[in-house]
Amino acid sequence: MAVEASVERLNARFAESDASEILRAALNAMPGRIAVVSSFGADSAVLLHLLSEIDRDVPVLMLETQMLFAETLDYQRDLSAHLGLRDVRLLTPISDVPEDLHLRDTSACCQLRKVEPLEKALAEFDGSITGRKRFQTGARAAMPVFETDYAGRVRVNPLASWSAQALVDHLDAHNLPRHPLVSKGYPSIGCAPCTRPASSEDPRAGRWANETREECGIHFGPDGRIIRGAA
Ligand code: SF4
């Protein structure tokens, strides 16, 4: 209840603020107890750039599923150095994962490569910050700026109201390094076996292209259930 009240207060005060102000409010509300979760994907540089202007020592958690494109890992190193981020943590699977599990059971594969390691890493924090945007999927359309996650932590979405064009404008205005696969037709980038090039009109269409899902399984509803085709 205390977290929900805090989320309510933060939304009432900062929901209409700009992204930097939202970030500052989140960091001030949970000093040393909040982490950014980033995929170092197509537009991750926007949130990370805003963070770097405020505090470069905030932990940045990246799921290193061991199935990522080599370009993503190169980009993580280059972008982190460019922005001067000092605490980027790569989260690898805790359990052994069969190499071909994604071919047989993508939910189980995401559980082992993403959900478990993120769960373990977030256990030491009271809140997380994401780069999710409302325009990305139908279920994100009503996403609040501050919300409570399935475990009772605060989850902050400073870019919730941003448009695709606003992201591009920010990347251009600050001359931020771009993920090398964007120019090769990948507007949304996840694990290599589950990502294909897609049209810019529907950026996430290249993720799990043979399935109806839109999400990798690392986002949960308030009741703890993994949200499918949503969030
Ligand atoms: S996105 Fe694909 S490869 Fe990555 S964890 Fe999920 S099922 Fe496995």
Side-chain angles (χ1 to χ4, degrees):
M1 184 55 83
V3 173
E4 283 166 19
S6 159
V7 160
E8 209 170 301
R9 276 198 303 274
L10 287 164
N11 271 323
R13 184 157 175 205
F14 296 105
E16 304 301 324
S17 300
D18 68 31
S20 291
E21 199 174 345
I22 293 166
L23 262 176
R24 283 182 206 281
L27 297 175
N28 288 337
M30 290 162 278
R33 295 180 287 111
I34 189 165
V36 171
V37 179
S38 178
S39 64
F40 286 82
D43 56 37
S44 298
V46 173
L47 180 64
L48 295 174
H49 172 246
L50 295 173
L51 177 73
S52 73
E53 290 186 317
I54 299 170
D55 188 345
R56 294 175 177 174
D57 289 313
V58 172
V60 177
L61 311 180
M62 178 200 193
L63 283 162
E64 207 301 48
T65 63
Q66 301 180 332
M67 301 298 270
L68 299 176
F69 291 96
E71 288 91 337
T72 299
L73 294 171
D74 290 344
Y75 183 59
Q76 177 271 311
R77 283 188 288 271
D78 293 347
L79 183 61
S80 298
H82 180 84
L83 297 175
L85 301 175
R86 289 190 278 258
D87 191 2
V88 178
R89 305 179 188 182
L90 303 189
L91 312 180
T92 52
I94 301 161
S95 321
D96 288 337
V97 190
E99 186 83 11
D100 63 348
L101 185 56
H102 65 281
L103 297 174
R104 294 181 278 116
D105 188 340
T106 54
S107 292
C109 188
C110 281
Q111 176 73 24
L112 295 174
R113 295 187 186 279
K114 294 181 173 179
V115 177
E116 275 189 10
L118 188 61
E119 279 285 271
K120 183 166 182 265
L122 284 179
E124 69 174 275
F125 298 102
D126 294 338
S128 65
I129 300 169
T130 85
R132 294 182 303 154
K133 278 74 64 179
R134 292 186 184 122
F135 75 81
Q136 288 176 308
T137 69
R140 286 186 189 175
M143 181 174 66
V145 172
F146 292 88
E147 57 186 343
T148 307
D149 77 6
Y150 72 98
R153 286 179 294 258
V154 178
R155 185 164 54 197
V156 190
N157 308 301
L159 305 182
S161 66
W162 283 46
S163 65
Q165 188 58 52
L167 295 166
V168 171
D169 290 347
H170 188 94
L171 291 168
D172 289 345
H174 297 279
N175 201 21
L176 294 171
R178 304 296 296 271
H179 193 299
L181 291 181
V182 171
S183 61
K184 295 183 179 172
Y186 293 82
S188 179
I189 302 150
C191 293
C194 299
T195 306
R196 292 182 188 169
S199 73
S200 57
E201 289 76 23
D202 183 4
R204 289 178 70 84
R207 305 285 292 279
W208 304 284
N210 297 324
E211 301 182 34
T212 55
R213 63 198 296 197
E214 297 172 327
E215 202 54 78
C216 61
I218 61 172
H219 301 297
F220 301 80
D223 58 357
R225 287 183 300 112
I226 293 173
I227 296 171
R228 294 292 183 210

